[in-house]
Amino acid sequence: MKNILAVCLLFLTGCAKNPVVVHPGSLSAFDSAAYDTLLTAQAAIESATTEVVANYPNLKPEINTVRKTYTAAQAAYKAYHEAAAAGKPTDPAALDAMLKKLTADIAAIVAKLKPKAVWVGPGNRLAWRTA
Amino acid sequence: MTPTNTTGLEIPTKLDQILAFLTVGAQWAALIPLPGTAIASKIAGSLLRIIQAAIQTHEAITGEPLDLSKLHELPPIE
């Protein structure tokens, strides 16, 4: 029951429309949101890595793809931020594309943890196949 | 090009997408307290921990000053 409540709470939290809060020190709403996205993704990836190492060693190639994408995206963001702060030309569209790829890679590995097919097994126990 | 153009409006969607992908996992995890297999329980626990890490971090940094040192490389694992 505790787990159900925790999941409901997390689901509601995740679906809530969060007001946009710009981080002090950021150069713009875009700069702030990109930073926010990357830090959140970083936490998810580090947690996912712990899970993969402990429970899903077969998913190491996938988690390494995500880590590589993240590393490139955070480097691109830092370069973007420094260039914008210095008044140099920037390419937010390129950064946006990298963040899209990061999101897609995270989605791919989360999909691997989702059940592919659910059925009622022996003894009326719920079971599923992983993707 | 100024940072606050239409592209800037898309970025928060990415964060929403990350949380949405993770919370879809939570929907599946909600099935776990029913009689299930060991593998199902393991999946649920993993998803919950990933979701918690993402949401807790998001909440913790909301309104905090931007700190680039918090972003670091994630080298491949062996």
Side-chain angles (χ1 to χ4, degrees), chain A residues 7-52:
Chain A
V7 168
C8 289
L9 185 64
L10 283 169
F11 184 73
L12 289 173
T13 305
C15 291
K17 279 281 177 193
N18 297 322
V20 177
V21 179
V22 176
H23 292 282
S26 58
L27 304 171
S28 65
F30 175 82
D31 185 50
S32 177
Y35 169 79
D36 210 274
T37 298
L38 283 165
L39 260 187
T40 304
Q42 181 176 278
I45 294 166
E46 287 183 325
S47 179
T49 301
T50 302
E51 298 300 328
V52 166

Side-chain angles (χ1 to χ4, degrees), chain A:
Chain A
M1 192 58 176
K2 267 185 183 176
N3 285 347
I4 295 175
L5 290 174
V7 168
C8 289
L9 185 64
L10 283 169
F11 184 73
L12 289 173
T13 305
C15 291
K17 279 281 177 193
N18 297 322
V20 177
V21 179
V22 176
H23 292 282
S26 58
L27 304 171
S28 65
F30 175 82
D31 185 50
S32 177
Y35 169 79
D36 210 274
T37 298
L38 283 165
L39 260 187
T40 304
Q42 181 176 278
I45 294 166
E46 287 183 325
S47 179
T49 301
T50 302
E51 298 300 328
V52 166
V53 168
N55 301 311
Y56 311 97
N58 56 313
L59 293 181
K60 279 185 182 177
E62 283 87 348
I63 199 71
N64 277 337
T65 296
V66 174
R67 291 171 71 88
K68 185 178 176 184
T69 304
Y70 173 82
T71 295
Q74 64 89 30
Y77 167 71
K78 286 180 177 176
Y80 163 83
H81 179 84
E82 287 167 8
K88 295 178 181 173
T90 59
D91 188 356
L95 178 59
D96 182 58
M98 296 189 89
L99 291 173
K100 277 181 182 165
K101 176 166 172 39
L102 178 62
T103 304
D105 286 352
I106 291 175
I109 197 163
V110 168
K112 296 267 183 181
L113 294 175
K114 277 167 51 183
K116 189 176 183 182
V118 181
W119 78 99
V120 178
N124 290 325
R125 291 169 72 85
L126 190 69
W128 56 39
R129 292 186 184 90
T130 54

